[in-house]
Amino acid sequence: MSKYYYLIAGLPNIALDDSKLAYSVGDFREEVESMLSAGDKKLVDLFYLKYDNANAVAFVEGSEKEPDPRGRVTREELDALYRALRNEEKIPKNAHIPPYLVEFFQAYLAEEMRDDKSERPYISWEDRLSALYYEYAMRCKNAFVAGWFELNLNINNVLTAITCRAYGLDKADYIVGRNEVAECVRASNARDFGLGDSLEYLPELQRLSEETDLIAREKRIDLLKWRWLDDNTFFKTFDIESVFAYLLKLEMIERWVGLDKAKGERTFRELVGAMKKGSENTLEEFKRNNIK
C-alpha cells in the first residue's frame, strides 16, 4: 500500500468552520492526481463520479445548463451512450463511464418507453442514480472508502424516513439502496426502524432530526461525518484513506462557504411541500441547489 508522507505533510490544516478554502475540490484533484498510485487514483475518482452523476441527470432532464467541469464524461459522450442504448447498438468504449451509469440510462429508457407511467413509485431520477452510485462505490475493496459511502446512504435514508414519518408520507417511496439498513428502514414501523444497537449513530440522528433550524441541523450532520472521518483515519495518517478524508472535508467546507442561510430555510419549506404533493421537480431543485 502506498504511503503519502510528503503529500499529507504538505496539506494545510483545515476545520469545518473555516471561512476560506485551502483548495477547491476541483483544484485538489489536479494537485494530487499525479502523486497517487494507479489503484489509489481510482479510489479518489469514485468521489468525483458525483459530478458525472449530476451531469447525467441534467442530460436526461433536458437541462441546458452547462455541465459541471469536475465531471469527466462529456455531454457528447452521454449522448453517444444514450443513442447506442436507445437504438440497441454496441455501447461505445469509454473508460470514464462506470457500469452503473449504463444501468441508469437503461432504466431511464425502459421508463421512457412505458405506456403507463402513472404507477411509477415516487423516486426521482437523481435518487435512483444515487442509489446505483452508492451501491457501486460500496463494492470497492477499500473498507474505509466503502464505509464512507455506506455511512452517507444510511444517514440519508434514516433522516428521510424520520421526515416521512413526521409528515405522514410513505417512506417506501423515498428510501433508496439495498443494504441492510435500507431494508430495515423500509420494512419497520418501530421508532428505531428495527436497527436497535446495530447502527451506533442512530440515536444521534434521531436527536438532530428534531432540530428545527435547517442550517444547524446540516452543520451537525457534517460534524458527525467529520468525526467519522477522523476516527477512521486515526491510524492511517499517511495512507490513501487520509488523502480521501481530506478531500471529503474540503467538500464540506466548500459547501458551507457558499451556503445562503435564507435560501436554505426557504427551500426546506418548499421541500416539505414537494414531498406532501409529490412534486418531483421541486424536490430535485432543492437537492441540486442546497446542502445534502
Side-chain angles (χ1 to χ4, degrees), residues 49 52-53 56 60 73 77-78 80-86 89-110 125 129 132-133 136:
L49 284 173
D52 290 308
N53 294 347
V60 299
V73 183
E77 289 169 329
L78 291 172
L81 173 61
Y82 174 81
R83 291 178 183 275
L85 291 171
R86 187 185 63 184
E89 298 172 350
K90 186 176 180 180
I91 298 174
K93 289 186 178 180
N94 190 318
H96 292 154
I97 297 179
Y100 75 84
L101 206 51
V102 176
E103 187 178 348
F104 169 73
F105 274 99
Q106 289 171 330
Y108 178 80
L109 284 164
W125 286 113
L129 182 52
L132 294 171
Y133 170 52
Y136 175 76

Side-chain angles (χ1 to χ4, degrees), residues 13 53 56 69 85 103 108 121 124-126 146 190 256 263 265 286:
N13 292 328
N53 294 347
L85 291 171
E103 187 178 348
Y108 178 80
S124 70
W125 286 113
E126 182 181 4
W256 282 105
K263 183 179 179 182
E265 292 174 342
F286 172 85

Side-chain angles (χ1 to χ4, degrees), residues 108-121:
Y108 178 80
L109 284 164
E111 183 70 28
E112 195 176 51
M113 291 185 289
R114 279 183 55 186
D115 294 329
D116 183 10
K117 299 180 175 61
S118 61
E119 296 182 2
R120 179 173 71 84

Side-chain angles (χ1 to χ4, degrees), residues 7 20 26 61-62 67 73 87 117 139 144-145 147 171 232 261 276 280:
L7 171 57
K20 294 183 179 179
E61 292 178 345
V73 183
N87 298 327
K117 299 180 175 61
R139 290 199 298 268
F144 169 82
V145 175
K171 62 181 184 292
N232 286 275
K261 180 174 180 178
K276 287 183 175 179
E280 185 169 323

Side-chain angles (χ1 to χ4, degrees), residues 8-38:
I8 297 294
L11 292 174
N13 292 328
I14 55 176
L16 186 57
D17 58 358
D18 285 350
S19 59
K20 294 183 179 179
L21 290 169
Y23 295 97
S24 71
V25 168
D27 290 342
F28 187 76
R29 186 181 211 171
E30 294 181 9
E31 182 76 17
V32 308
E33 195 168 42
S34 63
M35 305 180 194
L36 304 178
S37 68

Side-chain angles (χ1 to χ4, degrees), residues 274-289:
M275 293 177 74
K276 287 183 175 179
K277 298 176 183 177
S279 172
E280 185 169 323
N281 290 336
T282 306
L283 181 58
E284 290 177 354
E285 185 68 19
F286 172 85
K287 290 180 178 178
R288 281 195 295 271
N289 296 328

Side-chain angles (χ1 to χ4, degrees), residues 137-289:
M138 284 159 53
R139 290 199 298 268
C140 83
K141 295 181 180 180
N142 183 288
F144 169 82
V145 175
W148 166 257
F149 284 100
E150 184 160 25
L151 172 76
N152 281 268
L153 177 64
N154 292 345
I155 289 174
N156 291 344
N157 276 337
V158 169
L159 291 178
T160 295
I162 292 172
T163 299
C164 288
R165 175 188 289 162
Y167 291 97
L169 303 169
D170 185 355
K171 62 181 184 292
D173 290 344
Y174 298 91
I175 303 304
V176 300
R178 294 179 286 189
N179 69 338
E180 181 180 350
V181 171
E183 296 302 336
C184 285
V185 170
R186 279 193 191 94
S188 176
N189 291 319
R191 185 178 185 278
D192 64 356
F193 303 108
L195 294 170
D197 298 325
S198 62
L199 202 64
E200 61 181 16
Y201 46 86
L202 177 61
E204 185 170 359
L205 291 180
Q206 290 173 319
R207 289 193 298 271
L208 66 83
S209 70
E210 298 171 358
E211 174 61 66
T212 57
D213 184 322
L214 173 65
I215 302 302
R217 187 178 75 165
E218 292 298 332
K219 179 60 71 76
R220 289 172 63 186
I221 293 171
D222 273 359
L223 285 170
L224 185 160
K225 293 177 180 180
W226 195 288
R227 288 197 304 272
W228 187 94
L229 292 171
D230 286 343
D231 291 345
N232 286 275
T233 55
F234 188 80
F235 295 108
K236 299 178 181 294
T237 307
F238 297 106
D239 297 336
I240 184 57
E241 288 83 355
S242 287
V243 177
F244 197 91
Y246 193 90
L247 170 60
L248 297 169
K249 291 177 177 180
L250 279 180
E251 183 200 19
M252 291 186 209
I253 296 170
E254 189 172 81
R255 187 168 65 245
W256 282 105
V257 167
L259 180 65
D260 181 325
K261 180 174 180 178
K263 183 179 179 182
E265 292 174 342
R266 182 177 66 253
T267 50
F268 178 69
R269 290 192 294 271
E270 293 173 356
L271 169 64
V272 173
M275 293 177 74
K276 287 183 175 179
K277 298 176 183 177
S279 172
E280 185 169 323
N281 290 336
T282 306
L283 181 58
E284 290 177 354
E285 185 68 19
F286 172 85
K287 290 180 178 178
R288 281 195 295 271
N289 296 328

